[in-house]
Amino acid sequence: MSIITPAAAVAAGQDTIRAEARSLDTLAEALAGELKEPFVHAARLLAETKGRVIVSGMGKSGHIARKIAATLASTGTPAQFVHPAEASHGDLGMIVESDCVLAISRSGETRELSDMLYHCRRIHVPIIGMTFKAGSSLAAASTAALVLPECGEASEDAPAPTISTTMCLALGDALAVALIKARGFTAEHFGAIHPGGKLGAALKRVRDIMRVGQSDPLVSPELSVPEAMQAMSVGGIGAAGVVEGGKLIGIITDGDLRRKLTPEMFARRARDIMTANPKTIAPDAPIADAIAIMNEKRITLLFAVEDGRPVGVVHMHDLLAAGVR
């Protein structure tokens, strides 16, 4: 069994990463040169697609194709991966006239892609070919041929797809981001199709999780402290907003009651024990902003206000329940 030394492992890793970084610099330069026109053509084809973008490739190119399809779909461009071998056995039915195909092949001669390319030409589906060979069958069949600059692979001993797949992945990301810019796709749009997990939660808005109605207790500044305490218990958040003329002027929390607990307190008014000018947030603000304010101010809730008028309240428990940390 071969044993690799730490020095040899690190050296191989660094050589690989640096080689891939150089190849990406070369690709970026090509986008301003020989790749500029086909890249713009490809981006326009994708932007004008009425149906879905069908991304396909065989072997390692297939893995890259799956990732590109996922990136496009998650950024507002309907896309799916179709395996080229399965396409020849019925999955060609997934490709219709309103679609666009992005096919990836390092050599441009991947046999399994031939039936898909023929099908696309037959029903007039535009083809974007991503390859390293300008004279290949894929380049010739493509409506827009993205011919990447040849940079070899990371290992000459066993030239497994490394640099080439990195370049294809980067070019796919470049197309996706170009479409994001062209369509004005925003974080709000992104959040709408990423509702699950921490990322989706952080992209939600305060209005999506804030409490309203009885869960948002509001009291008059002239209300007695016992009555204010009763309102706080009904709300279940350990606090109540103090409102005058429809505007939020203060907040009473459990902490305020503990700090000001005296026999005389129960004869006083809400105005006397409230914290004036509390920190607030807009209902359309991202949840991430709410948790940032709570962490900075070391508080556990925020009233959401519009033009100074309270419309809801968000508690730290709501943020935790939504999956934000």
PDB file of all heavy atoms in Angstrom, residues 14 17 23 31 44 67 85 110 115 172 204 209:
ATOM      1  N   GLN A  14      -2.139  21.845  -3.515  1.00  0.00           N
ATOM      2  CA  GLN A  14      -1.881  23.227  -3.932  1.00  0.00           C
ATOM      3  C   GLN A  14      -1.695  23.333  -5.445  1.00  0.00           C
ATOM      4  O   GLN A  14      -2.205  24.262  -6.075  1.00  0.00           O
ATOM      5  CB  GLN A  14      -0.644  23.765  -3.214  1.00  0.00           C
ATOM      6  CG  GLN A  14      -0.860  24.052  -1.734  1.00  0.00           C
ATOM      7  CD  GLN A  14       0.383  24.627  -1.083  1.00  0.00           C
ATOM      8  OE1 GLN A  14       1.505  24.214  -1.379  1.00  0.00           O
ATOM      9  NE2 GLN A  14       0.190  25.594  -0.188  1.00  0.00           N
ATOM     10  N   ILE A  17      -5.201  23.128  -7.087  1.00  0.00           N
ATOM     11  CA  ILE A  17      -6.012  24.335  -6.895  1.00  0.00           C
ATOM     12  C   ILE A  17      -5.461  25.501  -7.696  1.00  0.00           C
ATOM     13  O   ILE A  17      -6.207  26.275  -8.321  1.00  0.00           O
ATOM     14  CB  ILE A  17      -6.113  24.678  -5.401  1.00  0.00           C
ATOM     15  CG1 ILE A  17      -6.919  23.586  -4.670  1.00  0.00           C
ATOM     16  CG2 ILE A  17      -6.756  26.043  -5.186  1.00  0.00           C
ATOM     17  CD1 ILE A  17      -6.876  23.678  -3.165  1.00  0.00           C
ATOM     18  N   SER A  23      -6.771  28.305 -14.770  1.00  0.00           N
ATOM     19  CA  SER A  23      -7.698  27.999 -15.865  1.00  0.00           C
ATOM     20  C   SER A  23      -8.922  28.909 -15.817  1.00  0.00           C
ATOM     21  O   SER A  23      -9.448  29.313 -16.864  1.00  0.00           O
ATOM     22  CB  SER A  23      -8.135  26.533 -15.801  1.00  0.00           C
ATOM     23  OG  SER A  23      -9.042  26.299 -14.725  1.00  0.00           O
ATOM     24  N   LEU A  31     -13.877  35.184 -22.085  1.00  0.00           N
ATOM     25  CA  LEU A  31     -15.214  35.778 -22.143  1.00  0.00           C
ATOM     26  C   LEU A  31     -15.180  37.190 -22.722  1.00  0.00           C
ATOM     27  O   LEU A  31     -16.192  37.681 -23.223  1.00  0.00           O
ATOM     28  CB  LEU A  31     -15.847  35.818 -20.746  1.00  0.00           C
ATOM     29  CG  LEU A  31     -16.571  34.554 -20.286  1.00  0.00           C
ATOM     30  CD1 LEU A  31     -17.144  34.751 -18.899  1.00  0.00           C
ATOM     31  CD2 LEU A  31     -17.662  34.165 -21.263  1.00  0.00           C
ATOM     32  N   ARG A  44     -28.823  34.953 -24.163  1.00  0.00           N
ATOM     33  CA  ARG A  44     -30.074  35.423 -24.745  1.00  0.00           C
ATOM     34  C   ARG A  44     -31.011  34.265 -25.056  1.00  0.00           C
ATOM     35  O   ARG A  44     -32.232  34.369 -24.870  1.00  0.00           O
ATOM     36  CB  ARG A  44     -29.781  36.239 -26.009  1.00  0.00           C
ATOM     37  CG  ARG A  44     -29.212  37.625 -25.697  1.00  0.00           C
ATOM     38  CD  ARG A  44     -28.811  38.377 -26.948  1.00  0.00           C
ATOM     39  NE  ARG A  44     -28.384  39.737 -26.611  1.00  0.00           N
ATOM     40  CZ  ARG A  44     -27.730  40.533 -27.442  1.00  0.00           C
ATOM     41  NH1 ARG A  44     -27.408  40.102 -28.667  1.00  0.00           N
ATOM     42  NH2 ARG A  44     -27.387  41.758 -27.066  1.00  0.00           N
ATOM     43  N   LYS A  67     -25.624  20.011 -11.549  1.00  0.00           N
ATOM     44  CA  LYS A  67     -25.431  21.185 -10.696  1.00  0.00           C
ATOM     45  C   LYS A  67     -25.866  22.460 -11.408  1.00  0.00           C
ATOM     46  O   LYS A  67     -26.502  23.333 -10.808  1.00  0.00           O
ATOM     47  CB  LYS A  67     -23.954  21.272 -10.281  1.00  0.00           C
ATOM     48  CG  LYS A  67     -23.691  22.276  -9.140  1.00  0.00           C
ATOM     49  CD  LYS A  67     -23.539  23.694  -9.649  1.00  0.00           C
ATOM     50  CE  LYS A  67     -23.347  24.676  -8.500  1.00  0.00           C
ATOM     51  NZ  LYS A  67     -23.289  26.083  -9.012  1.00  0.00           N
ATOM     52  N   ALA A  85     -28.288   9.010 -21.933  1.00  0.00           N
ATOM     53  CA  ALA A  85     -28.551   7.604 -22.249  1.00  0.00           C
ATOM     54  C   ALA A  85     -30.023   7.265 -22.050  1.00  0.00           C
ATOM     55  O   ALA A  85     -30.635   6.548 -22.856  1.00  0.00           O
ATOM     56  CB  ALA A  85     -27.678   6.702 -21.386  1.00  0.00           C
ATOM     57  N   THR A 110     -19.459  12.899 -27.500  1.00  0.00           N
ATOM     58  CA  THR A 110     -20.117  11.927 -26.621  1.00  0.00           C
ATOM     59  C   THR A 110     -21.250  11.240 -27.369  1.00  0.00           C
ATOM     60  O   THR A 110     -22.237  11.882 -27.768  1.00  0.00           O
ATOM     61  CB  THR A 110     -20.661  12.615 -25.359  1.00  0.00           C
ATOM     62  OG1 THR A 110     -19.576  13.265 -24.693  1.00  0.00           O
ATOM     63  CG2 THR A 110     -21.321  11.623 -24.425  1.00  0.00           C
ATOM     64  N   ASP A 115     -28.557  11.165 -30.078  1.00  0.00           N
ATOM     65  CA  ASP A 115     -30.011  11.088 -30.271  1.00  0.00           C
ATOM     66  C   ASP A 115     -30.694  12.361 -29.772  1.00  0.00           C
ATOM     67  O   ASP A 115     -31.657  12.844 -30.384  1.00  0.00           O
ATOM     68  CB  ASP A 115     -30.591   9.873 -29.542  1.00  0.00           C
ATOM     69  CG  ASP A 115     -30.226   8.560 -30.219  1.00  0.00           C
ATOM     70  OD1 ASP A 115     -29.859   8.596 -31.410  1.00  0.00           O
ATOM     71  OD2 ASP A 115     -30.302   7.508 -29.556  1.00  0.00           O
ATOM     72  N   GLY A 172     -21.157  27.640 -16.360  1.00  0.00           N
ATOM     73  CA  GLY A 172     -22.581  27.491 -16.057  1.00  0.00           C
ATOM     74  C   GLY A 172     -23.040  28.498 -15.022  1.00  0.00           C
ATOM     75  O   GLY A 172     -24.114  29.109 -15.154  1.00  0.00           O
ATOM     76  N   LYS A 204     -36.960  35.275   4.604  1.00  0.00           N
ATOM     77  CA  LYS A 204     -38.342  35.670   4.838  1.00  0.00           C
ATOM     78  C   LYS A 204     -38.389  37.085   5.395  1.00  0.00           C
ATOM     79  O   LYS A 204     -37.378  37.659   5.789  1.00  0.00           O
ATOM     80  CB  LYS A 204     -39.010  34.703   5.821  1.00  0.00           C
ATOM     81  CG  LYS A 204     -39.296  33.328   5.240  1.00  0.00           C
ATOM     82  CD  LYS A 204     -39.999  32.455   6.266  1.00  0.00           C
ATOM     83  CE  LYS A 204     -40.308  31.078   5.702  1.00  0.00           C
ATOM     84  NZ  LYS A 204     -40.968  30.208   6.706  1.00  0.00           N
ATOM     85  N   ILE A 209     -43.814  36.231   9.800  1.00  0.00           N
ATOM     86  CA  ILE A 209     -43.871  35.483  11.064  1.00  0.00           C
ATOM     87  C   ILE A 209     -44.351  36.314  12.245  1.00  0.00           C
ATOM     88  O   ILE A 209     -44.508  35.785  13.346  1.00  0.00           O
ATOM     89  CB  ILE A 209     -42.488  34.881  11.413  1.00  0.00           C
ATOM     90  CG1 ILE A 209     -41.482  35.987  11.709  1.00  0.00           C
ATOM     91  CG2 ILE A 209     -41.993  33.953  10.325  1.00  0.00           C
ATOM     92  CD1 ILE A 209     -40.220  35.463  12.384  1.00  0.00           C
TER      93      ILE A 209
END
